Amino acid sequence: QVQLVESGGGLVQAGGSLRLSCAASGRPFSDYAMGWFRQAPGKEREFVAAISRVGTRKEYADSVRRRFSVSRDNAINTAYLQMNNLKPEDTAAYFCAARLTTTGTLLLRENDYTYWGQGTQVQVSS
């Protein structure tokens, strides 16, 4: 089992940047595929980015591609979401998620994930 805690959210102006962190505890972090999702008020949770167990494979939602970057440091049990050129439509609660895997798979769907953090709020002002 793994516990996930997100941090790094906040209020930023459009065009600005934030880096979200997802700190994990429990089983070895490298056993888990990781993902980032977000949920805006009144909307369903949506996929943002995914990264494989050792970070060699990554995938992004079209809406954030070339602006966001997902990474992980397995030595310190932390995943990151670097968000650049933020837009008001990026405003949402951001969640990291994990699933125990035995391969370098990428998981893109909410239902693929077993463990979830509590979320961190990102607000982008225009």
Side-chain angles (χ1 to χ4, degrees), residues 29-47:
F29 189 54
S30 58
D31 287 349
Y32 294 89
M34 299 295 297
W36 287 93
F37 291 76
R38 67 186 182 186
Q39 187 168 19
K43 295 187 177 181
E44 294 187 352
R45 191 152 52 183
E46 65 176 2
F47 169 76

Side-chain angles (χ1 to χ4, degrees), residues 5-124:
V5 178
E6 302 95 336
S7 62
L11 174 63
V12 64
Q13 288 188 330
S17 298
L18 285 173
R19 187 176 79 158
L20 305 184
S21 298
C22 174
S25 60
R27 288 181 63 108
F29 189 54
S30 58
D31 287 349
Y32 294 89
M34 299 295 297
W36 287 93
F37 291 76
R38 67 186 182 186
Q39 187 168 19
K43 295 187 177 181
E44 294 187 352
R45 191 152 52 183
E46 65 176 2
F47 169 76
V48 174
I51 186 168
S52 60
R53 292 195 311 166
V54 295
T56 52
R57 300 181 65 202
K58 303 176 184 180
E59 186 57 83
Y60 300 92
D62 288 342
S63 60
V64 306
R65 200 181 303 274
R66 289 182 291 277
R67 298 189 298 123
F68 290 13
S69 178
V70 62
S71 61
R72 64 191 296 163
D73 186 340
N74 288 344
I76 60 171
N77 297 344
T78 303
Y80 302 98
L81 184 68
Q82 177 67 44
M83 307 185 296
N84 298 326
N85 190 22
L86 282 160
K87 303 176 180 181
E89 51 263 42
D90 295 318
T91 294
Y94 283 73
F95 301 86
C96 64
R99 176 172 175 169
L100 189 66
T101 64
T102 58
T103 66
T105 188
L106 284 174
L107 303 174
L108 309 186
R109 300 175 303 175
E110 183 177 353
N111 289 343
D112 289 335
Y113 288 91
T114 310
Y115 303 103
W116 291 84
Q118 300 276 32
T120 185
Q121 184 68 39
V122 171
Q123 185 168 351
V124 184

